[in-house]
Amino acid sequence: MTAPTVPDTRPETAARTAIEVRGVSRWFGNVVAVNDITMSIGSGVTGLLGPNGAGKTTLLHLMAGLLAPSRGEIRIGDAPVWRNPEIYRALGLVVDREDTYGFLSARELVEATATLHRLPQPRAAADRAIAMVGLGSAADRRVDTYSKGMRQRARVAAALVHDPAVLLLDEPFNGMDPRQRLELMELLHQMGEAGRSVLFSSHILEEVEQVSQSIQVMVAGRLAASGDHRAIRRLMTQRPHEFRLASSDDRRLGVALLALPSVSGVELEPPGLLIRASDYGAFTLALPAAARDAGVRLYQVLPADESLESVFSYLIAG
């Protein structure tokens, strides 16, 4: 079942609500888990990436008001997060650990959450959230009879029941089968399109690449990069940019490209060329003229290392 469209019931709230992290650090004894993080999360879907132990879960808990910053401040909109229960009217949270009451049905769990939020029609709100995650046919079964992916969807429904402007999810795709993953990806995409601010962590790069408009990458407790991963790659001037080319005469084109100042290496890899360029902009500007002057027709020009996987591996390698 495809999740229904996310209602845009309060666009003015969503538009002005964003997460502001200002110089935040958190340490546990002598261990620094989060080190001087500053970032801003606006509307849309943002992926939070980092190797194990990078501080992603700690940062999400800080954003959700579950932990106090050792230094710095986090705000949602104009309101501080720490010691501010009112913030949960605008915030939905799915943590990584299993914390679902198994003796409840999904409907009872989500309706109880709606009641805690003091929603005027908790049953109707619960039904809407359950439909959004595609659990309608199993809503009255006990949660402890669910698969891990179904339990995860029940927890997402509980986080969505009050229609939050900000949604934080720690590894939300864990345990889901491919169909469930695709449906949740579509739901998150719809929430971002509706003006919500969605931040989720995941260790599966393909999921982040498909859903997120931007990324935040943490390494060893610090923010290593922020923004669109393709733009981040193009700023990595210390690493040659790789392109795969196909043309009417690869050998002649390779010889011509070796003469360009922006080209640091050329390899003939049938059915084409692998080019290493020290300057992304200069190479892309010079390539058409070089092919024309060599009398070669270009059939294909593809960046070879602009995937999120490549960018992530470069960032964590230092």
Side-chain angles (χ1 to χ4, degrees), residues 75-88:
R75 303 179 76 87
I76 290 181
D78 297 325
V81 168
W82 178 241
R83 290 183 175 174
N84 183 11
E86 289 298 309
I87 207 67
Y88 296 108

Side-chain angles (χ1 to χ4, degrees), residues 42-61:
S43 61
V45 185
T46 301
L48 181 62
L49 292 173
N52 289 338
K56 303 186 300 297
T57 295
T58 299
L59 180 61
L60 287 171
H61 286 186

Side-chain angles (χ1 to χ4, degrees), residues 138-157:
D140 294 311
R141 281 173 45 194
R142 286 170 55 114
V143 171
D144 60 10
T145 68
Y146 283 3
S147 67
K148 184 172 182 179
M150 293 174 70
R151 291 197 302 272
Q152 189 78 327
R153 284 192 284 163
R155 296 166 66 218
V156 172

Side-chain angles (χ1 to χ4, degrees), residues 5-14 128 162-165 194 196:
T5 301
V6 175
D8 195 359
T9 55
R10 39 178 164 171
E12 64 283 342
T13 301
R128 179 186 62 84
H162 59 300
D163 193 22
R196 304 299 194 262

Side-chain angles (χ1 to χ4, degrees), residues 32-153:
V32 180
V34 171
N35 192 349
D36 195 25
I37 296 286
T38 294
M39 67 171 65
S40 178
I41 308 295
S43 61
V45 185
T46 301
L48 181 62
L49 292 173
N52 289 338
K56 303 186 300 297
T57 295
T58 299
L59 180 61
L60 287 171
H61 286 186
L62 289 163
M63 290 178 171
L66 303 181
L67 287 173
S70 302
R71 180 183 297 156
E73 183 183 39
I74 300 175
R75 303 179 76 87
I76 290 181
D78 297 325
V81 168
W82 178 241
R83 290 183 175 174
N84 183 11
E86 289 298 309
I87 207 67
Y88 296 108
R89 296 185 185 277
L91 176 65
L93 173 66
V94 178
V95 297
D96 186 32
R97 63 180 180 272
E98 286 275 357
D99 57 355
T100 305
Y101 295 110
F103 58 86
L104 297 177
S105 69
R107 193 184 309 279
E108 290 169 336
L109 171 69
V110 181
E111 187 173 346
T113 306
T115 301
L116 288 172
H117 280 290
R118 299 178 183 176
L119 300 184
Q121 296 179 308
R123 182 61 178 262
D127 288 344
R128 179 186 62 84
I130 287 169
M132 288 172 67
V133 300
L135 271 181
S137 62
D140 294 311
R141 281 173 45 194
R142 286 170 55 114
V143 171
D144 60 10
T145 68
Y146 283 3
S147 67
K148 184 172 182 179
M150 293 174 70
R151 291 197 302 272
Q152 189 78 327
R153 284 192 284 163

